[in-house]
Amino acid sequence: MSASATVPDASPPAAGAKAPVPRSAWTRLAACTAAAALLQLDGTLITVALPTVARGLSVKGSSTSAVLSVYFAAYALLLIPGGELVDRFGARRLALTGLVLFALGALAGALAQSFGELIAARVIQGAGAGLVSPAALAGAVSGFPAERRGAALGIWGASAGMSNLIGPLLGGLLTVAFGWRADWWALVPLTVAAAVAIARLVPRVIHSPSPSLDGAAGPFVNRIVAAATVIAALTFGVMIGAFYIAEQYLQRVAGFSALGAAAALVLVALLVGAAAPLAGKLVDARGEVLATVLGFLGTGIGLVVLGIGGVPLDDVVTILPLIPVGLGLGMLFVPVSRAALNATPQASHGRTSAFLSVGRLLGAAVGAGLAGVALSGTLTAATVHHTLLIGAAVCLLVGIPSSLCLRSASLAAPARARG
């Protein structure tokens, strides 16, 4: 069988017609989105608990960045082999295997008696996430034709926004009421629920598997995938770094509780969830470049305002610059994912998804690490302002020019849809 026979959009619909999307594609999307949302929830849930972790395990506050960094590092290291295994054995099997590892890591974290044990537990969780992530993204879009994937990815992105909303609130509530271990305990039943959904709703075979990795459907790393991976890294580096240092500042300097600090960032999560479906419609209609430029522009402008010395970081007025930040971040996931997936055949979507996730996780690890470095000195409002200005510069001076590299994908998608 030729590689092209495994690609659902190899025979595009007639001009003006939209490819039908069966109900099973939507239920498959829901199950895979739930699994991916769990990974997003983990990051925000755990971030809120870190100051309490430092006190409970008697370590420096700056050391807790390792709880995020080792998770992201293990996550990233497993992504490429995980993506290859997805293309070989199927998204369902790899997602379930990864969820088992993730649940074991969460259980070990809840029972950890030392900081070293907690770090080891996070490594296990990260390894599980590295298998789940490419399987979930490949499975989520597998039922959709190329010209309709923006809509699917918009729902995917909205779920990330909801996870960013629920994570800090749930993490703050659990930490205040029961202590930091409750955040890890909560992940166990959530992981079981995600695994049940995957087992019931995702088919064993999504596309005809490649008999060998060397004979898979053509190159899955091309200029579009490379550009999308870089953009994904920039996005997550800015987002995780900014959120981490903001959470630390609000709790350690401004005197907020874990729950109060989490509530301060709820607006961003709501805006991310609202913007993602709009981005999905925009990229299906206009291509990837416009949505990506708007995303970086909004995020950059908001961070510039927050980075100005003297602008309050813990006041009601802080809400105003957070609006373009939230909307901008919400615009960025959909276009890079759609561009990369549409630039490769479905039989390679596991590895393409892995490359995107590697970019995101490396960016997140670097963002968390640099924020940890900034926190190693005296944490003041000036430290936060300077860090946010660096994030703004990355968005405006690097992110926007990088967005133009997606142009060929933007132009190619309508052509595929027209046949």
Side-chain angles (χ1 to χ4, degrees):
M1 178 179 294
S2 65
S4 60
T6 68
V7 186
D9 54 325
S11 298
K18 285 188 176 181
V21 178
R23 181 176 180 274
S24 60
W26 293 105
T27 56
R28 189 186 310 175
L29 170 66
C32 292
T33 296
L38 175 67
L39 308 184
Q40 190 75 20
L41 178 74
D42 173 273
T44 53
L45 187 79
I46 298 307
T47 299
V48 173
L50 291 182
T52 308
V53 169
R55 293 192 293 271
L57 296 179
S58 302
V59 297
K60 294 181 179 179
S62 59
S63 299
T64 59
S65 65
V67 175
L68 298 178
S69 294
V70 298
Y71 170 80
F72 292 139
Y75 194 156
L77 286 173
L78 265 291
L79 280 169
I80 298 301
E84 292 180 345
L85 291 172
V86 168
D87 291 334
R88 181 185 287 245
F89 297 111
R92 181 177 181 270
R93 184 182 299 181
L94 266 294
L96 291 175
T97 301
L99 287 170
V100 169
L101 277 177
F102 190 86
L104 291 174
L107 180 61
L111 297 172
Q113 297 300 310
S114 69
F115 192 62
E117 291 178 3
L118 182 62
I119 292 297
R122 291 295 283 171
V123 171
I124 296 172
Q125 276 187 274
L131 299 180
V132 173
S133 182
L137 182 53
V141 301
S142 60
F144 294 82
E147 67 276 6
R148 300 287 294 278
R149 286 175 183 154
L153 290 168
I155 294 173
W156 178 285
S159 75
M162 292 306 297
S163 296
N164 283 330
L165 169 62
I166 295 171
L169 291 176
L170 179 61
L173 180 63
L174 290 173
T175 302
V176 170
F178 304 107
W180 65 266
R181 295 181 189 278
D183 296 272
W184 273 263
W185 281 117
L187 292 171
V188 177
L190 293 174
T191 306
V192 171
V196 170
I198 291 287
R200 290 185 175 182
L201 299 175
V202 177
R204 292 180 182 273
V205 178
I206 291 176
H207 59 80
S208 300
S210 174
S212 69
L213 296 180
D214 294 335
F220 64 95
V221 179
N222 52 44
R223 183 174 61 82
I224 300 296
V225 174
T229 302
V230 169
I231 293 170
L234 294 175
T235 302
F236 271 65
V238 170
M239 181 174 68
I240 296 298
F243 279 21
Y244 176 68
I245 200 167
E247 286 282 352
Q248 294 287 320
Y249 174 81
L250 291 174
Q251 293 187 55
R252 289 168 51 185
V253 178
F256 282 49
S257 67
L259 183 59
L265 297 176
V266 163
L267 176 63
V268 176
L270 284 172
L271 292 169
V272 168
L278 298 177
K281 294 180 180 179
L282 181 61
V283 297
D284 280 345
R286 300 288 300 275
E288 293 85 359
V289 172
L290 178 60
T292 311
V293 169
L294 290 175
F296 276 124
L297 187 62
T299 305
I301 289 174
L303 291 178
V304 164
V305 175
L306 288 171
I308 297 173
V311 172
L313 299 171
D314 54 1
D315 196 271
V316 175
V317 73
T318 310
I319 292 174
L320 295 178
L322 284 178
I323 294 175
V325 172
L327 291 174
L329 291 173
M331 296 289 289
L332 286 171
F333 175 83
V334 176
V336 297
S337 298
R338 183 184 186 269
L341 292 170
N342 282 2
T344 55
Q346 186 170 325
S348 295
H349 276 186
R351 284 167 287 175
T352 301
S353 301
F355 257 70
L356 289 173
S357 295
V358 165
R360 294 186 184 104
L361 268 296
L362 288 178
V366 171
L370 292 178
V373 171
L375 289 169
S376 62
T378 302
L379 179 58
T380 65
T383 304
V384 180
H385 285 306
H386 293 158
T387 303
L388 296 179
L389 282 177
I390 292 173
V394 170
C395 290
L396 299 175
L397 302 181
V398 182
I400 291 179
S402 299
S403 303
L404 303 180
C405 296
L406 301 178
R407 185 175 301 279
S408 61
S410 175
L411 297 175
R416 283 193 296 270
R418 290 193 300 269

